[in-house]
Amino acid sequence: MGSLPGNVEHERREMAERYAIGVDFGTESGRALLVAVGSGRELATAVYPYRHGVIDEALPAPDDDVRLEPDWALQDPMDYVRTLQMTVPAVVAQAGIDPADVVGLGIDFTACTMLPTTADGTPLSEIPELRREPHAWVKLWKHHAAQPEADRINALARERSEAWLASYGGKISSEWFFSKSLQILDEAPHVYRAADRLIEAADWVVWRLTGVETRNSCTAGYKAIWSKANGFPGPDYFGSLDPRFASIVDDKMLRDVLPIGTRAGELTAEAAGWTGLRPGTPIAVANVDAHVSVPASTVTAPGRMVAVMGTSICHVVLGATSATVEGMCGVVEDGVIPGLFGFEAGQSAVGDIFAWFIEEAVPPSYHALAADAGVSIHAVLEREAGRLRPGESGLVALDWWNGNRSVLVDVDLTGLLVGATIATKAPEIYRALIEATAFGTRAIVEALEAAGVAVDEIVACGGLPERNRLLMQIYADVMGKEFKVAASSQTPALGSAMFGTVAAGSSAGGYDSIVDAADRMAGLRTESYRPDSANRAVYDDLYAEYTRLHDTFGRGENDVMKRLKAIRARALGETGAGSQVRVS
Amino acid sequence: MGSLPGNVEHERREMAERYAIGVDFGTESGRALLVAVGSGRELATAVYPYRHGVIDEALPAPDDDVRLEPDWALQDPMDYVRTLQMTVPAVVAQAGIDPADVVGLGIDFTACTMLPTTADGTPLSEIPELRREPHAWVKLWKHHAAQPEADRINALARERSEAWLASYGGKISSEWFFSKSLQILDEAPHVYRAADRLIEAADWVVWRLTGVETRNSCTAGYKAIWSKANGFPGPDYFGSLDPRFASIVDDKMLRDVLPIGTRAGELTAEAAGWTGLRPGTPIAVANVDAHVSVPASTVTAPGRMVAVMGTSICHVVLGATSATVEGMCGVVEDGVIPGLFGFEAGQSAVGDIFAWFIEEAVPPSYHALAADAGVSIHAVLEREAGRLRPGESGLVALDWWNGNRSVLVDVDLTGLLVGATIATKAPEIYRALIEATAFGTRAIVEALEAAGVAVDEIVACGGLPERNRLLMQIYADVMGKEFKVAASSQTPALGSAMFGTVAAGSSAGGYDSIVDAADRMAGLRTESYRPDSANRAVYDDLYAEYTRLHDTFGRGENDVMKRLKAIRARALGETGAGSQVRVS
C-alpha cells in the first residue's frame, strides 16, 4: 500500500491520533473543545448556555419571590453538570472519534466563583431546606456584594502588616474567596455552619468528575491568599476577623494545594455516564480561564507576556523568581506554569469602554454609514479612526471607565477625556479611548520591567485581537514592542485540553509537562503587529501626558474622581461606599 | 364721540403713535424691526439673508478663482445696503404705517467687522482694479487670519507695559480693528495705501445713511483700544509696530469718537430712496449687537448683568467707576450706556458645545425618542437631563471646547470631562456640559464681584433662554442668583430702535436718553428663574471641583491642553500657532 493518496494517508494518521478535551466554564455558558494531541488541531466544539445564566435579580423559579440586592451575582452549580452532559458527548460525536482515544480532560473556570457544599460535595443550594437561601448558591466572580468584608480583610491586613498583601497590589478584592466566605458568615451564619466545604466551582467540578476533592494552586494562589512558601494566612489572622472564622481553612478547605499540571484523578463511572468518555480517563486539576490561556498562547517561560484581551485585559507574565511589583492582581508560584512565578495584572475595562462608547456616544451618522456598507459600527469607527495619525485627535484619555485595577488598584477612579473641541469627531474619541487602554497596558508593562520582570514580547489572545487590527497596531506602537496573536480563538479551552494531556502523561498518549504540550499543541498566527518607530515617538509624547494625568488623578494629588463619586452617592441618597448590601 | 368701543379707542391711540426702526446686521443676514415708541411693541420684522453671506472660500463670481486661505472670513458691503433696501420698506409696509411717523432709526452690527474705503466712503471692493484683492473686502468679525499681527500687537504692548492692556484682559484679539488693519498693511500694502479710511462696517452704514462719517464709542472702545480718558494709543506705539502704521489714526480714522446715544445725522435723500423713510429722519450713531441688547433687556444702571446667551455668551455689566477685572473683553466708558463704564466678558462657546454634543455624541436611541415624540433632540435631552439631580451624573467638565475667553483669555485651552463610567448616559454628559458653562459664567461673575463690580441679578437674552428652561434653572442654581429673561426675542434690533428714538429726542417724538427709552420700551418676561438652595449647595461642591480643574489646566500647572495642540499640529505637519496665512 506504499503510495496511498494524500487524503487516505491523512486519514490514517488521524486514526492513529489521540485526543484531549478542554471544558471552559464561562460567565454565561460552558464550552467543550476537542483537539488532536499531536498537533493541537481543533476538531470540534460545543457550547451550552447555562439554563439559569447569571442569577442577579431573583432565585430561579419556583423560588423567584426571593429577590437579590444589587451587586449580587449567583449561579446554579447544576448548570456546570449540565455543561458536561451537553457538550462533551457533542464534541465526541461531532469529531466522530472513539471516546477511548480521549487521553485526558481539563477544565478552566471563571474565578473566584465559589460555593458551599456538604462533606460529600452536594451543593447547599441542592438541599431543599436551604434552597431559598441566596447564600447557599454559587457566588459568581462578579458578585460584588462582599465589599464590606473585603474592606475588613484589607484593614486588618494593613494593621497587622501582613506580608502577603504586597503580592496582591496591597488590596484583596471583594470578588475573592475569603471576602465571599466572610459575607456568608456575616449574613447567613447558619449557611456558613451548614457548609462542610467552601470551594472554588472549578475544584468542585473536578471533584464531581473524579470523586476526589482537590484544590488547585492557581485559584488558591490568585484568589485565596495561598502561597507555596507560606500556605494560607493563619488562624490568628482569620480569628481576628471573626472568632468563628479562625479555622476556616482546616474546617472547610484543604491545605494540600496541588500545582496546576497535576492529575487530579480519573473519571468516575457516574461522570463517564454524563460525558460518554471512558471511566478512568485522566482529569487535570482545575485552572482559571485567563491563566490556562498562557501556555495555549505558546508562553511557558519568562520574558513573554500574554494579554487576554476582551471586555477587560488580564496580563500574565512568568518569572523565575518572585518580585514585588506595584498593583499586581497576584504573584503566585506554580500559579500558571509549574516551577515559575506567575505575575498577573489587569485592566478593569477595555472592550467594555468601546462598547460603552458605541452604545452611548456614537451619533446616527456613523450607524448609517455602517448600515449602508453592511458592516458593523465597530468596523466603521475602526476605518475612520485608522485614517488619523497618532496625535492628530488632540485628545488624551484616562482609561478608568470601570476603575483601575493595575497598577493603582482603585475602583473609585473614573474616566477622563481632555482635549475636546467643537471640531472633535466621534472616531477621534474612539481612537483616544483605544490609545488610553494601550497606555494603561504600557503602565503595567513598565511597572513589571521596573521591578526586574522582563517583558520582551507580548502575545495577545481573546476576542479583541481578532476583531480590531487598528487596536493591535496602536498597542504595538504605544508599547514599542511586537504583538503576536495566539493561533487559537479558544485559548482557554485549548489550554484546558493541553492540561488534560499532561494529566494523562506521555505513557498514556499525552505529554509529561505543559511545556511539552505547548510546544506541540499551541501556535501563533503568522501575522503580527510590529511597532512603527515614527508612531512610537508621538506616542511617547502622549504617554508622558497620560502618565502625568494618571499620577495627578490616581495618586492623591487631585481626588476629584472620588469626591464626585461621594457627591453622586449623596445626590442619590446613598450612604456611600462600604454600605452593607442586604438580601431581602 | 365720547364713548368709542375699545378697539376703536385702541386704534386711535395707535394712529397717534410714533415708531422707530432698528436694523440688526448679523453674520448671515440683516434684520429690521419696527416698534412703537410709546410701548416698545414690536409691529413688524423683516430679514434679508446676505446675497454673499460669509465669504470664506473664494471671492464672489466672477472672481471666484481667487481662493481664500483657511481662517479668512469676508463680506460684501453691498449686502448691507441691500439689507436697508429690502427690510426697511418691508417693515413699514407690513405695519401699514406712515413713514413720516418713524421718528428715528438705529443700527447695530457684529464687531469688529471693518473695511477699507476711499475718502468718500466707497468700499475698496467696489473699485474695479481692487475687486480681486481679498484685502479690499469687509473683514468679518470671525476673520481669524490676523493672529500674527495680534501677536505682535500684544508682544509690543507687554514690552511697553501699555496701561490699556489690562482693560482687555491682557490680550488684544486677532478679531479686532488694529490686528485686521495691520494684516492689510503686512500682506497688501497697496490696499492699505489706497484706503483713505479704515472703518467699522457699523460706522460705514451710518455714513451711508447720513452722509456723515462718525465713529461710535462702543466699537472704538471695545475693538479699537480707544478710551474716553486717553483716546487711542499714540503714534509711537503704532510706529513701533511698523513705521507705516504710525499715523493710522490721523490718516485713516477719526479721533472724534461719539458716545453711543448720540445722533449721527439725518437720513440723506439717497438713503431715503433706499429705505422709503422721510429724508431728514434722525439716525443714531452705530452700536454693537450684544451691547445694544443691554438697555433692550431693561439694564441701564449698575448691579444687573445682561447675559446674551446663544452659541456663545457675552456678559455686560455697568459700573459707575472703572475697575481692573481679570480677563475682560473690554472695559469702556460710554461703551454701553452714556456716563457709565461697560464691563464686557465672554464665554467662547456655550450653545456651540451643546450643538457639538448633539451632532457628535448622542446615540441613535435618543434621536429615535425625539422622532417618536415629534420633538427635537434638544427637548429629549432636556427632559432626560432634567430628571437628574445635581451631582447625580458624577461628572464635571471644563467648558473650553472653543478655548476660554474670560477670565483666562486663552484660545489654546480645550474641553475636559471627568467622571465617566461604563454606566454614564448621554443625558448625564449633556447636563454636565450645561453645568460646565454655568460654572464658566460663575467664574466671570466672581471675578467681577472680587473687583468690586456688583452683579446682583442677571437678565438673560438671546436664543438659549427661550429654548432651554433646564439650562436657565441650572444657571440660577449654580450662580445662586435670580435669572430674569428679556421680553423681546430680538433685543439687538429693539435696542437699535430705542437708540433711534434717542437720536430723535423728545422734541421729535422720541426720548432724550436711553434710560428713558428703556423705561418705556424694554421689558422682562413675567417668569424668572430663582435659585433652589438645596441645588445650590450641591453646585457649590461641584464648582469647587470645577475651580480646581480650571486652575490646574488653565493657569499653567499642567499645560497638557497646549501640548496636545502642539502634538496635533506636528501630526498634521503644521508649523503651529503664529504661522502666517497667505492669500493665493
Side-chain angles (χ1 to χ4, degrees):
Chain A
M1 297 169 65
S3 63
L4 286 169
N7 60 339
V8 176
E9 182 67 34
H10 181 258
E11 199 169 297
R12 268 173 57 134
R13 277 207 312 276
E14 283 296 322
M15 290 186 58
E17 185 123 50
R18 301 298 192 86
Y19 307 96
I21 292 175
V23 187
D24 167 44
F25 291 86
T27 300
E28 301 283 352
S29 63
R31 167 191 298 273
L33 176 70
L34 187 146
V35 302
V37 171
S39 61
R41 191 162 68 90
E42 301 177 4
L43 280 83
T45 188
V47 174
Y48 171 68
Y50 301 145
R51 183 183 299 169
H52 294 130
V54 177
I55 301 167
D56 55 8
E57 296 191 347
L59 292 182
D63 303 308
D64 48 347
D65 56 315
V66 181
R67 310 289 304 174
L68 304 178
E69 291 282 336
D71 291 334
W72 276 66
L74 306 179
Q75 286 196 321
D76 179 358
M78 302 321 290
D79 269 334
Y80 310 144
V81 173
R82 284 188 283 269
T83 295
L84 294 169
Q85 292 170 323
M86 303 301 289
T87 64
V88 178
V91 293
V92 169
Q94 236 184 84
I97 61 152
D98 182 347
D101 288 331
V102 175
V103 303
L105 178 147
I107 72 156
D108 63 273
F109 231 93
T110 64
C112 164
T113 293
M114 57 83 73
L115 69 159
T117 75
T118 63
D120 69 356
T122 304
L124 297 194
S125 56
E126 288 295 299
I127 296 177
E129 53 267 36
L130 288 173
R131 197 163 171 78
R132 289 172 57 80
E133 170 54 67
H135 278 295
W137 293 68
V138 173
K139 286 188 168 60
L140 184 60
W141 66 274
K142 65 177 178 177
H143 174 91
H144 285 139
Q147 190 60 54
E149 287 75 17
D151 292 343
R152 282 161 55 199
I153 286 170
N154 287 311
L156 182 65
R158 281 193 298 271
E159 187 186 314
R160 294 167 50 105
S161 304
E162 295 285 349
W164 43 260
L165 206 51
S167 295
Y168 302 100
K171 208 171 279 183
I172 300 302
S173 167
S174 71
E175 292 182 4
W176 293 355
F177 192 83
F178 292 113
S179 304
K180 283 170 168 156
S181 298
L182 188 55
Q183 191 197 6
I184 301 176
L185 175 61
D186 278 349
E187 300 181 5
H190 62 294
V191 175
Y192 186 82
R193 276 194 307 274
D196 297 314
R197 315 312 276 159
L198 293 168
I199 188 167
E200 282 280 345
D203 291 327
W204 180 79
V205 167
V206 168
W207 190 0
R208 293 299 86 191
L209 287 167
T210 61
V212 182
E213 183 187 358
T214 57
R215 306 285 173 138
N216 75 83
S217 59
C218 183
T219 55
Y222 287 107
K223 310 297 176 186
I225 324 184
W226 170 88
S227 74
K228 190 174 183 178
N230 303 306
F232 294 100
D236 50 335
Y237 172 78
F238 288 123
S240 297
L241 287 170
D242 189 312
R244 300 168 296 174
F245 210 57
S247 55
I248 178 172
V249 174
D250 288 320
D251 289 355
K252 300 179 192 291
M253 299 170 64
L254 283 182
R255 290 204 178 275
D256 187 19
V257 172
L258 298 182
I260 46 89
T262 308
R263 179 194 293 202
E266 295 81 33
L267 201 64
T268 63
E270 181 190 28
W274 297 342
T275 58
L277 299 181
R278 190 173 43 87
T281 302
I283 307 293
V285 295
N287 216 317
V288 175
D289 45 13
H291 303 74
V292 80
S293 294
V294 173
S297 300
T298 75
V299 171
T300 55
R304 296 167 71 220
M305 170 182 273
V306 172
V308 187
M309 303 174 70
T311 54
S312 59
I313 296 184
C314 178
H315 321 70
V316 179
V317 64
L318 305 168
T321 56
S322 190
T324 299
V325 187
E326 185 184 16
M328 291 295 103
C329 303
V331 180
V332 177
E333 189 174 2
D334 291 351
V336 182
I337 299 293
L340 295 172
F341 288 84
F343 296 82
E344 180 194 347
Q347 287 174 266
S348 316
V350 178
D352 275 351
I353 299 179
F354 314 139
W356 168 85
F357 179 71
I358 281 171
E359 182 66 26
E360 284 301 326
V362 176
S365 54
Y366 298 96
H367 290 275
L369 282 176
D372 289 350
V375 299
S376 74
I377 181 69
H378 269 289
V380 168
L381 288 172
E382 183 178 1
R383 184 190 68 198
E384 297 296 318
R387 290 178 178 160
L388 299 167
R389 279 165 276 186
E392 183 177 341
S393 71
L395 299 168
V396 70
L398 289 175
D399 53 320
W400 300 344
W401 261 248
N402 194 21
N404 174 297
R405 173 63 218 196
S406 303
V407 297
L408 298 170
V409 198
D410 193 335
V411 296
D412 287 327
L413 298 177
T414 54
L416 179 145
L417 179 72
V418 61
T421 74
I422 51 176
T424 297
K425 299 289 179 187
E428 294 179 308
I429 301 177
Y430 180 70
R431 184 171 180 125
L433 294 175
I434 292 175
E435 291 167 346
T437 65
F439 296 144
T441 296
R442 180 164 166 182
I444 290 166
V445 168
E446 291 193 352
L448 285 159
E449 292 178 328
V453 181
V455 182
D456 302 322
E457 184 185 272
I458 304 180
V459 181
C461 64
L464 272 184
E466 294 183 15
R467 286 198 303 270
N468 200 323
R469 297 174 57 85
L470 172 67
L471 175 139
M472 295 306 297
Q473 187 61 50
I474 288 173
Y475 271 58
D477 290 344
V478 164
M479 228 72 63
K481 293 182 192 294
E482 186 173 0
F483 265 68
K484 295 181 173 173
V485 181
S488 176
S489 57
Q490 308 176 68
T491 47
L494 172 61
S496 287
M498 287 163 54
F499 276 106
T501 71
V502 178
S506 63
S507 60
Y511 297 101
D512 289 329
S513 76
I514 190 65
V515 178
D516 291 349
D519 284 347
R520 298 291 297 273
M521 299 175 72
L524 297 172
R525 303 198 177 188
T526 49
E527 63 176 1
S528 72
Y529 297 87
R530 291 191 185 81
D532 173 284
S533 62
N535 290 352
R536 169 78 202 265
V538 178
Y539 281 131
D540 280 348
D541 289 344
L542 289 170
Y543 181 67
E545 301 301 338
Y546 175 91
T547 301
R548 184 158 175 186
L549 294 167
H550 175 282
D551 291 351
T552 296
F553 293 102
R555 298 193 190 276
E557 193 181 317
N558 186 346
D559 279 337
V560 55
M561 293 166 181
K562 295 169 197 289
R563 290 191 299 269
L564 288 172
K565 280 207 168 183
I567 291 169
R568 177 173 192 274
R570 286 200 302 274
L572 293 171
E574 291 172 355
T575 52
S579 66
Q580 187 134 346
V581 174
R582 298 249 158 249
V583 184
S584 60
Chain B
M1 295 169 68
S3 63
L4 287 168
N7 60 338
V8 176
E9 182 69 35
H10 180 258
E11 201 169 294
R12 266 174 57 135
R13 276 209 310 277
E14 284 296 322
M15 291 187 57
E17 185 124 51
R18 301 298 191 86
Y19 307 95
I21 293 176
V23 187
D24 167 44
F25 292 86
T27 300
E28 301 283 352
S29 63
R31 166 190 299 272
L33 176 70
L34 187 145
V35 302
V37 170
S39 61
R41 192 162 65 92
E42 301 178 2
L43 280 83
T45 186
V47 174
Y48 171 69
Y50 301 144
R51 182 183 299 168
H52 293 129
V54 177
I55 301 167
D56 54 9
E57 296 190 347
L59 292 182
D63 302 309
D64 47 347
D65 57 315
V66 181
R67 310 288 304 173
L68 304 179
E69 292 282 335
D71 291 334
W72 276 67
L74 306 179
Q75 285 196 323
D76 179 358
M78 301 323 288
D79 269 334
Y80 310 144
V81 174
R82 283 187 284 269
T83 295
L84 296 169
Q85 292 170 324
M86 304 300 290
T87 64
V88 178
V91 293
V92 169
Q94 238 183 82
I97 61 151
D98 182 346
D101 289 331
V102 175
V103 304
L105 179 147
I107 72 157
D108 64 273
F109 231 93
T110 64
C112 163
T113 294
M114 56 82 74
L115 70 158
T117 75
T118 63
D120 68 358
T122 304
L124 296 195
S125 55
E126 288 295 298
I127 296 177
E129 52 269 35
L130 289 173
R131 197 162 173 79
R132 289 172 56 80
E133 171 52 69
H135 278 294
W137 293 68
V138 173
K139 287 188 166 61
L140 184 61
W141 66 274
K142 65 177 178 177
H143 173 92
H144 285 139
Q147 191 60 54
E149 286 75 16
D151 293 343
R152 281 161 56 199
I153 285 169
N154 287 311
L156 182 65
R158 282 192 298 272
E159 187 186 314
R160 292 167 52 105
S161 304
E162 295 286 348
W164 43 260
L165 205 52
S167 295
Y168 302 101
K171 211 172 277 182
I172 300 302
S173 167
S174 70
E175 292 182 3
W176 293 355
F177 191 84
F178 292 114
S179 303
K180 283 171 168 156
S181 298
L182 188 56
Q183 191 197 6
I184 301 176
L185 175 61
D186 278 348
E187 300 182 5
H190 62 293
V191 174
Y192 186 82
R193 276 193 307 272
D196 296 315
R197 315 312 277 158
L198 292 168
I199 188 166
E200 282 279 346
D203 291 326
W204 179 78
V205 167
V206 169
W207 190 359
R208 293 300 85 194
L209 286 168
T210 62
V212 181
E213 182 186 358
T214 58
R215 307 285 172 138
N216 75 83
S217 59
C218 184
T219 55
Y222 287 107
K223 311 296 176 186
I225 323 184
W226 170 88
S227 75
K228 191 174 181 177
N230 302 306
F232 294 99
D236 50 336
Y237 171 78
F238 288 123
S240 297
L241 287 169
D242 188 312
R244 299 168 296 174
F245 210 56
S247 54
I248 177 171
V249 175
D250 288 319
D251 289 355
K252 300 179 191 290
M253 299 171 66
L254 283 183
R255 290 203 179 274
D256 187 18
V257 173
L258 297 182
I260 46 91
T262 308
R263 180 194 292 201
E266 294 81 34
L267 200 65
T268 62
E270 182 189 28
W274 297 342
T275 58
L277 300 181
R278 190 174 43 88
T281 301
I283 307 294
V285 296
N287 215 317
V288 175
D289 45 13
H291 303 73
V292 80
S293 294
V294 173
S297 300
T298 76
V299 171
T300 54
R304 298 168 70 220
M305 171 183 272
V306 172
V308 187
M309 302 175 69
T311 54
S312 60
I313 295 184
C314 178
H315 321 70
V316 179
V317 63
L318 304 168
T321 55
S322 190
T324 298
V325 187
E326 185 185 16
M328 290 296 102
C329 302
V331 181
V332 176
E333 188 174 4
D334 291 351
V336 182
I337 300 292
L340 295 171
F341 289 83
F343 296 81
E344 181 195 347
Q347 286 175 266
S348 317
V350 179
D352 275 351
I353 299 180
F354 315 139
W356 168 84
F357 180 70
I358 281 171
E359 181 68 27
E360 285 302 324
V362 176
S365 53
Y366 297 96
H367 291 275
L369 283 176
D372 289 351
V375 299
S376 74
I377 180 69
H378 270 288
V380 168
L381 288 172
E382 183 178 3
R383 184 190 68 200
E384 298 295 319
R387 291 179 176 158
L388 300 167
R389 279 167 275 186
E392 182 176 341
S393 71
L395 299 169
V396 70
L398 289 175
D399 53 320
W400 300 345
W401 261 248
N402 194 20
N404 175 297
R405 173 63 217 196
S406 302
V407 296
L408 298 170
V409 198
D410 193 336
V411 296
D412 287 328
L413 298 177
T414 53
L416 179 145
L417 179 73
V418 61
T421 75
I422 52 176
T424 298
K425 299 288 180 188
E428 295 179 309
I429 302 177
Y430 180 69
R431 185 172 179 124
L433 294 175
I434 291 175
E435 290 167 347
T437 64
F439 296 144
T441 296
R442 181 165 166 180
I444 290 166
V445 168
E446 292 194 351
L448 284 159
E449 291 177 329
V453 181
V455 181
D456 303 321
E457 185 186 270
I458 304 180
V459 182
C461 64
L464 272 183
E466 294 183 17
R467 285 198 305 270
N468 199 324
R469 296 174 57 85
L470 172 67
L471 175 138
M472 295 306 297
Q473 188 59 52
I474 289 173
Y475 271 58
D477 290 344
V478 164
M479 228 72 61
K481 293 182 193 294
E482 186 174 358
F483 265 68
K484 296 182 172 172
V485 180
S488 176
S489 57
Q490 308 176 66
T491 47
L494 171 60
S496 287
M498 288 163 53
F499 277 105
T501 71
V502 179
S506 62
S507 60
Y511 298 101
D512 288 330
S513 76
I514 190 67
V515 178
D516 292 348
D519 285 348
R520 298 291 296 273
M521 300 176 73
L524 297 173
R525 302 196 180 191
T526 49
E527 63 177 1
S528 72
Y529 298 87
R530 290 193 186 80
D532 173 284
S533 62
N535 289 352
R536 170 77 201 268
V538 178
Y539 281 132
D540 280 348
D541 289 344
L542 290 171
Y543 181 67
E545 301 301 339
Y546 175 91
T547 301
R548 183 157 176 186
L549 293 168
H550 176 282
D551 291 350
T552 297
F553 293 102
R555 297 193 191 277
E557 193 181 318
N558 186 344
D559 279 336
V560 54
M561 293 165 180
K562 295 168 196 289
R563 290 190 298 269
L564 287 172
K565 280 208 168 182
I567 290 169
R568 178 173 193 273
R570 287 200 301 275
L572 293 171
E574 292 172 355
T575 51
S579 66
Q580 187 133 347
V581 173
R582 296 248 158 249
V583 185
S584 60

